[in-house]
Amino acid sequence: MKASTLLSVLKARVLNVPAPIAVGFELTHQCNLACEYCDRHTKLPGEMTFEQIVRALDELHSIGMKELSLDGGEPLTHPRVGDVVDHLVGLGVVVRMNTNGILVRKKKDVVRKLAKVKISLDGPPDVHDRVRGERAFARAVDGANAARELSVPVELTCVVGVHNAARIDEIVELATVLGFPIVFQPARDSLFVGTVRGPGRKLRLEREALGRAFDRVEHHKRAGANVLNGWASLRHFRAFPGDRELPCAAGFINATLDPRGNLFHCGQVARTDGHNVVLLGAEEAFRRLTRVGCGQCWCARVVEENYAWGGRFDLALPPARARQPH
């Protein structure tokens, strides 16, 4: 974290001066895959124009945005994604991207400007393709390799569910062979808290089964595998799918912008009460955000950031006693 970003975080925490330091921007909900546990496959009516996007990003930057994660759908399907990245980089914003990897090689001129690429990988081809589509595995791996050829850091993300819980050992070995670090997090009914989708529910593990899967993840982390989960998220997921209260930075230093310009305090909440930056301006939309946590964090990085926000640095340490893996 840059010193200027850290100072902004401390100001928000100590002086209670919220700022959208880290923004998640769902550039479009259009996607070239239809993963079973994802809610965002199709372009929304009324997605912002490029001019509206630029205005919103400029306004967010003026009130404190320093980092932005491009999300989707699949952000690389957006026809102006290169212009959006260029604009952000020109503002001095650190830009990361969540992607399925399919278009990375085709959009190398965009990807080379990113600080990091996060690519979903749920297992070997038979596992990954079952929930994401034919040849999705091969294209994801090719995208990861293409990003590495550009010297862009790559992080794999594995969604743990019914489809792959018994194959954690294989997944860790696969990531090792490919040469990329990997983060694990649980499959949910939906990406949005309080929303239930049939396909997502079919993949979600109950608590005991999820615990067994994360026993294996913890085993490999202790053994030195390149598992990027911090101990805070590994602990937190033990309560999933129930709530576990945690400090929450949503709306204080984080915000999520959807393709239509609706701003939310958290990207995981139900999409019912956003404040639109096109209508209100980003400063007013951010001012109106709810700043209440829910305890249902499922994204490993968000969980770990929230515990750090609350000063629970003790949870970054491994438990004194290792769980016995099943």
Side-chain angles (χ1 to χ4, degrees):
M1 183 181 291
K2 290 182 177 180
S4 60
T5 303
L6 180 59
L7 287 173
S8 296
V9 172
L10 291 173
K11 183 179 179 181
R13 188 74 178 100
V14 177
L15 301 180
N16 193 28
V17 181
I21 296 166
V23 174
F25 179 23
E26 297 160 5
L27 181 58
T28 178
H29 281 188
Q30 180 67 43
C31 192
N32 45 8
L33 289 178
C35 304
E36 289 190 20
Y37 42 71
C38 183
D39 306 65
R40 305 187 303 232
H41 302 145
T42 307
K43 184 177 180 179
L44 293 174
E47 293 191 358
M48 287 186 288
T49 66
F50 177 67
E51 290 71 25
Q52 289 171 331
I53 290 171
V54 167
R55 188 178 308 117
L57 296 177
D58 284 348
E59 292 173 1
L60 286 166
H61 180 253
S62 72
I63 59 172
M65 180 178 70
K66 297 183 181 299
E67 302 179 358
L68 184 140
S69 181
L70 281 173
D71 206 344
E74 172 50 54
L76 288 174
T77 65
H78 194 284
R80 301 295 297 272
V81 63
D83 295 323
V84 170
V85 171
D86 283 344
H87 188 76
L88 287 164
V89 171
L91 291 173
V93 175
V94 176
V95 187
R96 303 177 181 90
M97 181 180 289
N98 295 306
T99 174
N100 57 39
I102 291 174
L103 293 174
V104 168
R105 193 170 294 280
K106 183 177 180 180
K107 299 290 183 76
K108 289 193 295 185
D109 288 345
V110 177
V111 173
R112 70 171 72 251
K113 299 167 187 174
L114 302 173
K116 180 181 285 186
V117 171
K118 303 177 184 181
I119 296 180
S120 300
L121 195 77
D122 287 350
D126 63 307
V127 172
H128 188 85
D129 292 358
R130 188 184 312 146
V131 294
R132 295 184 181 271
E134 186 178 356
R135 294 193 62 249
F137 173 86
R139 293 185 289 177
V141 171
D142 181 66
N145 287 330
R148 178 162 54 191
E149 291 164 11
L150 298 169
S151 298
V152 176
V154 175
E155 182 177 294
L156 302 179
T157 303
C158 178
V159 177
V160 180
V162 171
H163 60 304
N164 62 2
R167 302 179 71 174
I168 298 298
D169 295 348
E170 290 179 64
I171 296 168
V172 173
E173 176 63 21
L174 175 62
T176 301
V177 170
L178 292 172
F180 298 113
I182 187 165
V183 172
F184 293 86
Q185 54 201 35
R188 292 180 52 89
D189 294 350
S190 164
L191 297 181
F192 309 130
V193 171
T195 303
V196 177
R197 297 173 58 253
R201 180 64 183 85
K202 181 177 68 176
L203 293 175
R204 179 171 66 79
L205 290 165
E206 296 304 324
R207 185 170 180 174
E208 185 177 344
L210 185 69
R212 288 195 297 269
F214 273 89
D215 283 344
R216 299 306 309 171
V217 174
E218 291 190 18
H219 167 75
H220 288 290
K221 182 175 179 66
R222 286 183 181 273
N226 204 354
V227 172
L228 286 188
N229 290 78
W231 290 104
S233 66
L234 292 176
R235 283 184 173 93
H236 186 83
F237 294 149
R238 291 293 174 167
F240 190 84
D243 284 343
R244 172 174 282 175
E245 186 176 351
L246 78 169
C248 186
F252 289 97
I253 58 172
N254 298 327
T256 293
L257 184 66
D258 84 357
R260 292 188 284 202
N262 295 310
L263 195 68
F264 301 89
H265 68 294
C266 171
Q268 300 170 34
V269 297
R271 300 307 174 88
T272 56
D273 60 350
H275 302 287
N276 193 274
V277 299
V278 177
L279 299 177
L280 299 171
E283 184 172 8
E284 178 62 18
F286 184 74
R287 188 190 67 78
R288 294 189 186 189
L289 290 183
T290 300
R291 295 181 171 89
V292 178
C294 66
Q296 290 193 16
C297 280
W298 57 265
C299 175
R301 286 290 181 250
V302 174
V303 169
E304 290 157 15
E305 289 169 1
N306 279 335
Y307 279 114
W309 165 258
R312 293 302 308 274
F313 302 111
D314 55 309
L315 297 180
L317 301 174
R321 294 182 61 184
R323 292 184 176 87
Q324 294 303 311
H326 294 77

